[in-house]
Amino acid sequence: MFKSYDQTIGNLTSKTSKKIIHYVNSRLEKFDLTTEQWAVLLRLSKQDKISQKLLAEISGKDQPTLTRILDILTRKALIERHPSFEDRRSFSVHITDKGLILAEKVAPLLENVFKDILNDISDEKLNIYTEVLLHIDENINNLQ
């Protein structure tokens, strides 16, 4: 019998996403990080000294969520916020040496975590999965 797309695709996507986040969070605990904090720290490790607005865009976070994450990362001394030279109302976000060192420790660990998660999944299947997710994302963007 046919199940609705909501039951098959929506629920399975949600369930799997939650499991991935939970599993990755469990591995990040020893670094006192969450997946949300890691996503921002990783972006800064690749592109430092950027505006908070640009960081929100490239990390896919809304401004209030990003502000909360940045507050936490600042308390942990992993990032610093400096007034922007171009616009005194905005801030430039900088990763600290401590943040860079942590990023260098966490990145390889997470590579291994995702190797384990993707165990026995061929590159071909993974490419198809990625293409389908990107297509779904594009469809949603076009609907909004």
Side-chain angles (χ1 to χ4, degrees):
M1 177 176 214
F2 173 76
K3 288 187 177 181
S4 73
Y5 289 126
D6 174 49
Q7 289 176 330
T8 55
I9 295 170
N11 286 337
L12 184 58
T13 301
S14 177
K15 179 181 163 186
T16 304
S17 175
K18 287 176 184 175
K19 276 186 172 181
I20 290 170
I21 290 168
H22 179 74
Y23 184 73
V24 172
N25 273 332
S26 74
R27 297 304 175 258
L28 288 173
E29 271 182 357
K30 65 180 171 186
F31 299 103
D32 191 29
L33 284 176
T34 65
T35 53
E36 294 279 311
Q37 295 163 16
W38 170 245
V40 171
L41 195 64
L42 178 63
R43 294 289 185 268
L44 284 170
S45 73
K46 295 184 182 308
Q47 187 177 358
D48 191 21
K49 299 178 183 175
I50 58 176
S51 73
Q52 194 165 323
K53 182 178 179 181
L54 178 59
L55 182 58
E57 289 173 21
I58 64 175
S59 63
K61 310 283 183 218
D62 60 39
Q63 286 290 342
T65 300
L66 180 64
T67 299
R68 181 179 48 80
I69 293 168
L70 293 178
D71 288 345
I72 293 167
L73 293 176
T74 300
R75 282 195 302 274
K76 294 178 181 182
L78 300 174
I79 63 137
E80 295 175 345
R81 285 182 267 196
H82 298 278
S84 171
F85 292 115
E86 296 86 32
D87 182 355
R88 290 185 297 165
R89 296 169 294 168
S90 69
F91 291 93
S92 176
V93 184
H94 304 226
I95 191 167
T96 63
D97 288 341
K98 181 180 177 182
L100 280 172
I101 291 167
L102 185 61
E104 288 174 5
K105 287 180 184 176
V106 172
L109 173 108
L110 287 185
E111 278 301 311
N112 287 329
V113 165
F114 277 94
K115 280 181 186 173
D116 291 343
I117 289 172
L118 301 172
N119 185 36
D120 291 332
I121 299 173
S122 70
D123 287 343
E124 179 184 358
K125 285 183 178 180
L126 202 51
N127 287 336
I128 291 169
Y129 175 72
T130 302
E131 287 176 23
V132 170
L133 284 177
L134 289 171
H135 196 143
I136 291 170
D137 186 62
E138 183 180 323
N139 286 348
I140 292 169
N141 287 340
N142 291 335
L143 292 170
Q144 294 177 345

